[in-house]
Amino acid sequence: MSELQVDLTHAGVPSAELQSHAASLGKALAALDETPAGDFLRIVHSPAVLREIRACAKRRPPGVTDVVQLGIGGSSLGAQALCTALLPSRHNQFVRRPGLRFHFPDNIDPDSFAALLRGLHPKRTLVHVVSKSGGTLETQAQLHALLEWFTHEGRRFPLRQNLVVTTGPDGSLREFAEREGLSILHLPEHVPGRYSVFTASGLLVPALCGVPVGRILKGAREMEARCRQDSMLGPAGQLAALHFLQDREQGRSIHVELIYADALLLLGAWFRQLWAESLGKKKRGPTPVVARGTTDQHSQLQLYMEGPDDKLYTFLCVDRFRSRVRISKRATPASLAGRDLGDIFAAEARGTQQALLERGRPLIEIRLPRVSPEAVGGLLLLQQLQTALAGALYGVDPFTQPGVEAGKRAALDILAG
Ligand code: PA5
């Protein structure tokens, strides 16, 4: 058990006020439990998901050195976040065979895509294509650019062996995969990309690179149980109510997550997408911002201290890092001498919190004892449930993305001339 701590002492909303939302939150959870929308919670209990991922990881073709996940948005961010959180820093630089390097183009910029291809060898590359709908323009473009690259290299693309597809129950990607006889992993029909981190979409590449994905799911199940234990639905309900009240009653509609652990930075990008795409509807919804501690103290902090009081801050911190980096005993100022970089990092986070509080800016603190698979799984589950519950408070459906779909259709029309 890896207890993640959520401290709301300085969050600016009295607990009695939060409690007044307990009934609505209970109703929202009951609705999730009774409708397909709650599948994102049920998948963490499904042994079939883990079985499918492990079986696929075992069939990894011999000689493979690199794995590329094609996909965008919810079909890319979760796996990226897990790889960077749970594999050693600069994994790709230091990994030795039989370990795999991971790559997430996550875009269609021709310069970065070409550079990625230059560093790969067709025979030694495993490609995982993820698209729930199967019709996303960027993912299709990435896939067919990659197939073209194989052809140009003068080799027959060994499709069956080196290409794995994760997709929903229908769509053109499934048709392509079936026609080519590829391995297909399944995305549940009612789970949108941003809630799919606990499926093959989020877990296959981490599993291939050596992350113990069963422990991520264990942490997620523990967090779910914790959230179901009390009338406020634990930290998920409290955070949903708190963000909602700060936004709607105190005008703090910008939610800044300051992350003091580089390993967790992409978890911030993942949550930003989840929060924005789920809640930004009907002219409502908070604006999520991610900041890197301490780097962005030298970029945005002045605004946070003395700019408009329209923000709620969340500090995401870690108690114990994997590495210790000792500072010389002769260092000046003397307060640095003999210290560990982790001590300085913690003091900077604490100092920034204090300074914000002195200016009356509200903040939340989330602490992970360390960046373990259980703690990360718990955090992901917490943030997904918090988002789904916030949807109920805002009166929006957190499982649709009509704005994103409109953009996809418009781009297709432009290409069609
Ligand atoms: O969370 C979402 O629903 C979106 O961000 C999608 O993941 C993204 O648009 C990609 O869609 P698809 O998985 O259908 O290719």
Side-chain angles (χ1 to χ4, degrees):
M1 169 82 87
S2 171
E3 279 290 88
L4 175 155
Q5 304 294 329
V6 179
D7 184 349
L8 304 182
T9 318
H10 303 292
V13 178
S15 73
E17 221 174 301
L18 293 181
Q19 279 295 338
S20 68
H21 285 280
S24 322
L25 293 168
K27 258 187 26 217
L29 182 63
L32 288 177
D33 285 340
E34 282 154 24
T35 56
D39 282 354
F40 81 94
L41 289 173
R42 289 184 276 277
I43 46 180
V44 301
H45 300 276
S46 157
V49 170
L50 211 49
R51 238 190 345 258
E52 192 184 43
I53 290 167
R54 285 183 174 146
C56 183
K58 258 198 200 145
R59 290 197 302 271
R60 165 184 155 177
V64 162
T65 54
D66 293 80
V67 56
V68 181
Q69 178 153 328
L70 304 182
I72 198 155
S75 291
S76 175
L77 284 167
Q80 279 187 72
L82 287 174
C83 284
T84 47
L86 297 171
L87 292 166
S89 304
R90 298 183 188 263
H91 166 88
N92 281 1
Q93 189 180 339
F94 295 117
V95 67
R96 294 284 166 264
R97 282 195 181 193
L100 291 182
R101 289 186 291 260
F102 61 82
H103 310 274
F104 295 90
D106 200 17
N107 204 353
I108 46 170
D109 180 302
D111 288 338
S112 51
F113 205 82
L116 168 67
L117 295 182
R118 270 201 302 279
L120 297 175
H121 188 289
K123 273 200 186 143
R124 296 198 289 271
T125 302
L126 179 64
V127 181
H128 180 214
V129 193
V130 184
S131 175
K132 160 89 188 303
S133 61
T136 300
L137 189 53
E138 291 91 336
T139 310
Q140 287 183 324
Q142 290 170 348
L143 171 62
H144 290 282
L146 213 106
L147 296 178
E148 181 66 12
W149 169 69
F150 273 100
T151 315
H152 261 274
E153 292 288 303
R155 296 176 175 87
R156 208 185 132 266
F157 185 37
L159 276 181
R160 289 210 182 146
Q161 222 188 335
N162 289 48
L163 191 58
V164 176
V165 166
T166 293
T167 191
D170 42 44
S172 59
L173 181 59
R174 175 168 286 276
E175 282 163 27
F176 166 79
E178 285 174 352
R179 208 169 47 241
E180 298 291 341
L182 308 179
S183 297
I184 306 179
L185 287 87
H186 304 282
L187 281 174
E189 187 179 352
H190 302 287
V191 177
R194 58 195 179 279
Y195 292 88
S196 71
V197 65
F198 297 125
T199 69
S201 163
L203 298 178
L204 180 64
V205 171
L208 282 162
C209 293
V211 172
V213 295
R215 288 174 53 194
I216 298 175
L217 292 170
K218 178 170 172 279
R221 286 192 296 272
E222 286 170 358
M223 176 56 76
E224 189 197 353
R226 179 173 158 190
C227 289
R228 286 180 183 276
Q229 260 162 22
D230 71 75
S231 62
M232 276 302 289
L233 307 181
Q238 290 177 345
L239 287 168
L242 178 67
H243 282 89
F244 174 70
L245 288 168
Q246 278 284 6
D247 176 1
R248 300 311 289 265
E249 286 178 16
Q250 303 194 37
R252 296 194 176 100
S253 62
I254 300 176
H255 296 163
V256 182
E257 190 173 32
L258 294 108
I259 302 181
Y260 284 79
D262 283 353
L264 301 181
L265 267 184
L266 288 184
L267 281 166
W270 170 85
F271 179 58
R272 179 178 58 193
Q273 188 235 0
L274 176 67
W275 199 237
E277 205 165 299
S278 300
L279 303 179
K281 283 156 203 166
K282 299 187 183 170
K283 302 200 170 151
R284 300 174 201 157
T287 301
V289 173
V290 180
R292 180 189 189 198
T294 65
T295 312
D296 288 334
Q297 287 178 207
H298 305 271
S299 153
Q300 300 160 30
L301 192 59
Q302 174 60 37
L303 170 75
Y304 297 164
M305 295 286 181
E306 295 180 12
D309 187 9
D310 53 0
K311 302 173 193 66
L312 171 62
Y313 303 90
T314 299
F315 281 73
L316 183 58
C317 300
V318 170
D319 288 331
R320 201 147 44 88
F321 289 86
R322 294 180 193 123
S323 317
R324 295 188 65 78
V325 180
R326 187 65 71 190
I327 292 173
S328 155
K329 288 203 170 99
R330 291 191 300 278
T332 50
S335 53
L336 290 186
R339 305 296 283 262
D340 187 83
L341 277 190
D343 301 338
I344 320 291
F345 211 18
E348 293 260 12
R350 191 61 67 215
T352 304
Q353 290 184 9
Q354 251 173 40
L356 282 168
L357 290 173
E358 275 161 23
R359 282 165 175 79
R361 310 285 155 124
L363 61 88
I364 298 162
E365 187 182 69
I366 300 180
R367 299 200 74 82
L368 273 59
R370 58 193 189 90
V371 184
S372 65
E374 291 83 356
V376 168
L379 179 62
L380 292 169
L381 190 291
L382 165 63
Q383 293 186 319
Q384 284 186 334
L385 184 54
Q386 165 193 338
T387 307
L389 296 173
L393 299 179
Y394 274 100
V396 299
D397 181 349
F399 301 104
T400 60
Q401 53 288 323
V404 179
E405 307 301 342
K408 288 182 186 179
R409 276 195 306 277
L412 271 175
D413 288 349
I414 290 168
L415 284 171

